C-alpha cells in the first residue's frame, strides 16, 4: 500500500517536473506577469498541486517519507527558481520596451524656448553704479522712504518756508511725516548715528509731485557722501570724473556748473559730455538730447554745509565732506537712449525685452 502511494507520488512529481516550466512559459507569453503568478499559485499556492502532493505524505512510512520529502523539496526549489527567473526576464523586457519606445513624436513642430527674465534697466544701472562706488571704497547705507520733516529738510538747512521746500513739492502723510523727496535724508541719519570717517552710497526710491517725460512722481536716487578730516572739493571732482569714465566709457568728460542746494557750499551741478552726439574725433556736435549744448546734466553735488554738520552733531571745525545725488532713471535713460521716463514704469514687455 505504502509502496503504491510512493510510486503514485513519484509519478505525480515526475509529471509536474516535466510540465511546470512549459506551463510557466506559456502563461508568461500569453498573459505576462499576472498570468505567470497565477500559474505559480496553481502549483505552489495553498491549494496548489505540489502542496496537494505534500499532503499525501502522511500516508507514506518513515524511510520512504524522507526520500519523497527530499524529492518534493527539490522540485519546489526548481519551481521557485524558474518562477523567479521568468519574473526577472519579464521585468527586463518590459524596461527594454519602454527604453526603445520613442518618448516623443519626432514629427511634431518644435516648441519655442520660454523667454528668460532679466533685470529691469533701472535695477541694472543701480547695481552698476553701486559696484563702481564699492570699488572706490564706498559702503552702502539704507534709509527710510517715510521720513520726518527734520531729516528731509530742516537739518539739511532748508528754512521752514524756503522755496526749495515748495520746489520739491512734497507728498505729506496725514500723520505729519512725508515721503522723502531725495536720498539726502540718509546723510543726516548716518551723521547723527556714527562718527567720521565715513564714505557711503545710499540708493532708494524718492517721491515728488512731478509728472512729465523726464520727471516721475516716484523715482530712484543714489546719494553719495564722504566725511573726514581735510576732505576737499578736488576729491569730489576726482571721484565723479572717475565714476563718469567707468560708467560711460574712457574719455567721457565732466564739467561742473555752480548751483544751489541748501545743504552744500559750494554747490554744483555736474554734466557729462553728451554720449549721443560724440564724434569719432571726440568732439560733440550737439543733438536734441543735449539741446545742442554737447552736455547733459546727471547729478547735483557740493561740499557739505557746516550748518548741516552742526545739526547732526559733527564738529565743522574738524571735519569737511562732500555729497552728491543722482537720478537713477536719468542715468538709465542716458545709458540706453530712452526718450520718455514713463516707459521705465509701465512694465510693457515689448519695451523691457529690449534690454
Ligand atoms: C537733489 O535731489 C539733491 N538731493 C541732490 C544732491 C545731493 C545735491 C547731495 C547736492 C548734494 P535734484 O532735485 O536736482 O537734487 O535731483 C537730483 C537728480 O534727480 C536730478 O539730477 C535728476 O536726475 C533726478 N530727478 C529729479 N526729479 C526727478 C523726477 N521727478 N523724476 C526723475 N528724476 C528726477
Amino acid at each position: 500500500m505504502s509502496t503504491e502511494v510512493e510510486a503514485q507520488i513519484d509519478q505525480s512529481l515526475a509529471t509536474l517536473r516535466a510540465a511546470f516550466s512549459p506551463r510557466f512559459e506559456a502563461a508568461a507569453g500569453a498573459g505576462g506577469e499576472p498570468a505567470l503568478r497565477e500559474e505559480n499559485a496553481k502549483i505552489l499556492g495553498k491549494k496548489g498541486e505540489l502542496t496537494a502532493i505534500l499532503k499525501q505524505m502522511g500516508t507514506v512510512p518513515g524511510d520512504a517519507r524522507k526520500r519523497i520529502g527530499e524529492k518534493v523539496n527539490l522540485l519546489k526549489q526548481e519551481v521557485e527558481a524558474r518562477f523567479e527567473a521568468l519574473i526577472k526576464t519579464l521585468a527586463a523586457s518590459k524596461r527594454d520596451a519602454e527604453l526603445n519606445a520613442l518618448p516623443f513624436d519626432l514629427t511634431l513642430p518644435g516648441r519655442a524656448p520660454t523667454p528668460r527674465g532679466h533685470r529691469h534697466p533701472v535695477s541694472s544701472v543701480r547695481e552698476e553704479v553701486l559696484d563702481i562706488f564699492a570699488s572706490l571704497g564706498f559702503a552702502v547705507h539704507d534709509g527710510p522712504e517715510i521720513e520726518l520733516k527734520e531729516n528731509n529738510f530742516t537739518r539739511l538747512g532748508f528754512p521752514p518756508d524756503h522755496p526749495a521746500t515748495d520746489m520739491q513739492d512734497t507728498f505729506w502723510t496725514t500723520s505729519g511725516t512725508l515721503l522723502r523727496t531725495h536720498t539726502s535724508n540718509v546723510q543726516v541719519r548716518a551723521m547723527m548715528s556714527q562718527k567720521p570717517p565715513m564714505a557711503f552710497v545710499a540708493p532708494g526710491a524718492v517721491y515728488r509731485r512731478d509728472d512729465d517725460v523726464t520727471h516721475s512722481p516716484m523715482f530712484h536716487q543714489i546719494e553719495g557722501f564722504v566725511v573726514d578730516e581735510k576732505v576737499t572739493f578736488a576729491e569730489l571732482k576726482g571721484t565723479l570724473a572717475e565714476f563718469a569714465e567707468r560708467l560711460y566709457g574712457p574719455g567721457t568728460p565732466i564739467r561742473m556748473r555752480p548751483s544751489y542746494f541748501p545743504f552744500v557750499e559750494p554747490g554744483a551741478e555736474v554734466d557729462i559730455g553728451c554720449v549721443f552726439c560724440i564724434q569719432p574725433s571726440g568732439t560733440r556736435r550737439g543733438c536734441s538730447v543735449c539741446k545742442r549744448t554737447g552736455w547733459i546734466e546727471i547729478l547735483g553735488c557740493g561740499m557739505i554745509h557746516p550748518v548741516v554738520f552742526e545739526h547732526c552733531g559733527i564738529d565743522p571745525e574738524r571735519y569737511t565732506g562732500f555729497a552728491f545725488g543722482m537720478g537713477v532713471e536719468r542715468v538709465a535713460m542716458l545709458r540706453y537712449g530712452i526718450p520718455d521716463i514713463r516707459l521705465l514704469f509701465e512694465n510693457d514687455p515689448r519695451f523691457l525685452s529690449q534690454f
Side-chain angles (χ1 to χ4, degrees), residues 30 109 142 214 243 298 334 337 346:
D142 274 336
T214 52
F243 163 69
I298 56 159
L334 290 177
E346 282 166 359

Side-chain angles (χ1 to χ4, degrees), residues 121-301:
V122 170
S123 303
S124 309
V125 164
R126 184 190 55 213
E127 295 309 311
E128 218 177 325
V129 171
L130 293 182
D131 280 352
I132 293 172
F133 283 107
S135 72
L136 294 175
F138 287 71
V140 174
H141 202 299
D142 274 336
E145 290 174 28
I146 298 176
E147 185 54 288
L148 299 171
K149 179 184 167 194
E150 286 71 22
N151 294 338
N152 193 84
F153 290 129
T154 320
R155 293 195 173 99
L156 286 168
F158 290 78
D161 299 317
H162 194 280
T165 319
D166 254 8
M167 196 175 74
Q168 295 198 336
D169 232 344
T170 309
F171 290 106
W172 292 88
T173 70
T174 46
S175 58
T177 52
L178 51 80
L179 297 184
R180 67 175 173 190
T181 59
H182 52 183
T183 41
S184 301
N185 67 325
V186 186
Q187 281 184 47
V188 173
R189 286 179 168 266
M191 288 194 272
M192 286 178 65
S193 61
Q194 43 198 287
K195 298 259 161 282
M198 62 180 88
F200 286 118
V201 271
V206 303
Y207 304 83
R208 295 182 191 178
R209 289 183 192 276
D210 259 349
D211 201 2
D212 60 39
V213 291
T214 52
H215 294 87
S216 158
M218 190 281 296
F219 62 102
H220 298 85
Q221 286 190 337
I222 294 178
E223 189 89 359
F225 51 97
V226 171
V227 181
D228 199 355
E229 292 175 6
K230 302 192 179 81
V231 174
T232 66
F233 196 93
E235 284 163 342
L236 168 62
K237 188 172 180 191
T239 303
L240 295 177
E242 179 67 22
F243 163 69
E245 289 222 356
R246 294 222 202 155
L247 190 66
Y248 292 105
T252 304
I254 66 165
R255 76 173 182 188
M256 300 179 106
R257 288 176 289 104
S259 186
Y260 174 73
F261 300 94
F263 37 94
V264 288
E265 180 57 37
E269 274 177 335
V270 173
D271 299 335
I272 56 159
C274 181
V275 287
F276 294 102
C277 60
I278 184 163
Q279 302 300 295
S281 61
T283 57
R284 288 166 172 79
R285 250 187 338 181
C287 63
S288 60
V289 181
C290 63
K291 303 195 182 85
R292 317 258 157 236
T293 63
W295 296 95
I296 302 175
E297 181 217 313
I298 56 159
L299 54 83
C301 65

